[in-house]
Amino acid sequence: MKHSYMKSMVVACLATLSFIGFNATATAATNYKVVKGDSLWKLGKRYSVTIDDIKKLNNRQGDMIYIGETLAIPSKTKVLAAETTEPSTAAPANTAKPEPKPEAKPAEQETPAVSISSSEKDLLACLVEAEAKGESYEGKVGVATVVLNRVDSPKFPDTVTGVIKQVVGKAYAFSPVQNGSINKPASEDSKKAVEQALTRKDRLDDSIYFYNPKTATDNWIRSRAVIKTIDHHVFAK
């Protein structure tokens, strides 16, 4: 009798635990009042559950339901959420908005230290093109710098046009003016070289002469103090 009694108690406890577990799942449900036209099939389709799920939750054997009665509809989403007890190992989604990149500021154009007319800029660029064609950009800036240094010097005319078209003896000071090559259009590099020379950042130590030592025939020019050699030109003062 004692063993039989203990066996009955164990069975009862297991049944109770089973019932509690069922109720824990069953509590995740939605109460629904049946209206005309409803059926278990329609309710299962509406709530994404099976007919058997509804019948089990409501202790039903048959498929008949009645207008006005309240049925418990299992909620699959809630049940699954309740059953998930392990912490998620997935990395949290990065919801932070990326910081906007600072807009690149446009390069500021250097303010010329010397202001000349647009026509004089064009004339100087044409001279640079004729004198330093095939030379590096630095060489072109050097030629433009010599012209501007002459404008500043009391030994030469005080305008760009006056310096470029100056006559020395029976010829022009610059051979491109003499042979007409100054009338050819200037390249973009020559125009930019003029703009850079106007900033007066590097005045080549106030050089007022330049020459090609391979082609120069005037020995006097070779006697001038050499400041710098750029490509094929020697810059002197």
Side-chain angles (χ1 to χ4, degrees):
M1 285 293 292
K2 186 174 182 180
H3 290 290
S4 178
Y5 173 77
M6 291 298 295
K7 185 176 182 180
S8 298
M9 288 295 293
V10 170
V11 172
C13 289
L14 290 175
T16 302
L17 290 174
S18 176
F19 177 75
I20 292 172
F22 174 77
N23 279 349
T25 303
T27 53
T30 300
N31 291 327
Y32 177 79
K33 191 172 184 179
V34 178
V35 298
K36 186 177 180 180
D38 282 339
S39 67
L40 289 180
W41 180 84
K42 287 183 179 180
L43 293 177
K45 194 168 183 65
R46 183 185 302 176
Y47 290 96
S48 299
V49 295
T50 66
I51 294 175
D52 287 340
D53 288 336
I54 300 175
K55 289 167 66 175
K56 286 179 181 179
L57 187 58
N58 291 274
N59 296 320
R60 294 289 181 91
Q61 297 296 326
D63 295 341
M64 295 295 294
I65 58 176
Y66 304 94
I67 297 173
E69 73 169 315
T70 300
L71 293 176
I73 308 297
S75 174
K76 288 289 185 182
T77 303
K78 290 183 179 179
V79 172
L80 290 175
E83 290 174 352
T84 304
T85 57
E86 294 183 2
S88 174
T89 57
N94 184 10
T95 58
K97 294 183 179 179
E99 294 184 3
K101 295 182 179 179
E103 295 183 0
K105 294 183 179 179
E108 296 182 1
Q109 188 172 358
E110 293 178 314
T111 303
V114 178
S115 178
I116 61 176
S117 66
S118 58
S119 60
E120 285 191 314
K121 282 185 182 180
D122 292 340
L123 180 63
L124 181 52
C126 287
L127 178 68
V128 169
E129 180 70 16
E131 288 281 11
K133 186 175 183 179
E135 302 286 302
S136 65
Y137 177 73
E138 184 186 4
K140 290 179 171 63
V141 175
V143 170
T145 298
V146 165
V147 173
L148 296 176
N149 287 345
R150 287 192 178 191
V151 173
D152 293 339
S153 172
K155 299 178 182 179
F156 299 91
D158 57 2
T159 65
V160 170
T161 302
V163 167
I164 292 175
K165 295 186 177 181
Q166 182 183 17
V167 176
V168 179
K170 295 181 180 181
Y172 286 101
F174 296 97
S175 58
V177 182
Q178 188 75 28
N179 60 34
S181 60
I182 193 173
N183 297 317
K184 294 181 180 180
S187 65
E188 288 300 316
D189 267 0
S190 293
K191 292 177 182 179
K192 290 178 182 178
V194 169
E195 294 292 347
Q196 182 167 332
L198 286 170
T199 64
R200 311 301 270 150
K201 280 191 172 182
D202 181 6
R203 299 187 61 167
L204 292 176
D205 197 19
D206 294 328
S207 295
I208 51 178
Y209 303 105
F210 67 89
Y211 63 93
N212 186 334
K214 291 183 179 181
T215 60
T217 57
D218 188 350
N219 289 327
W220 176 84
I221 194 68
R222 297 176 185 273
S223 67
R224 311 307 300 175
V226 174
I227 302 302
K228 190 175 186 179
T229 298
I230 305 174
D231 302 325
H232 297 95
H233 282 148
V234 173
F235 293 85
K237 60 186 295 187

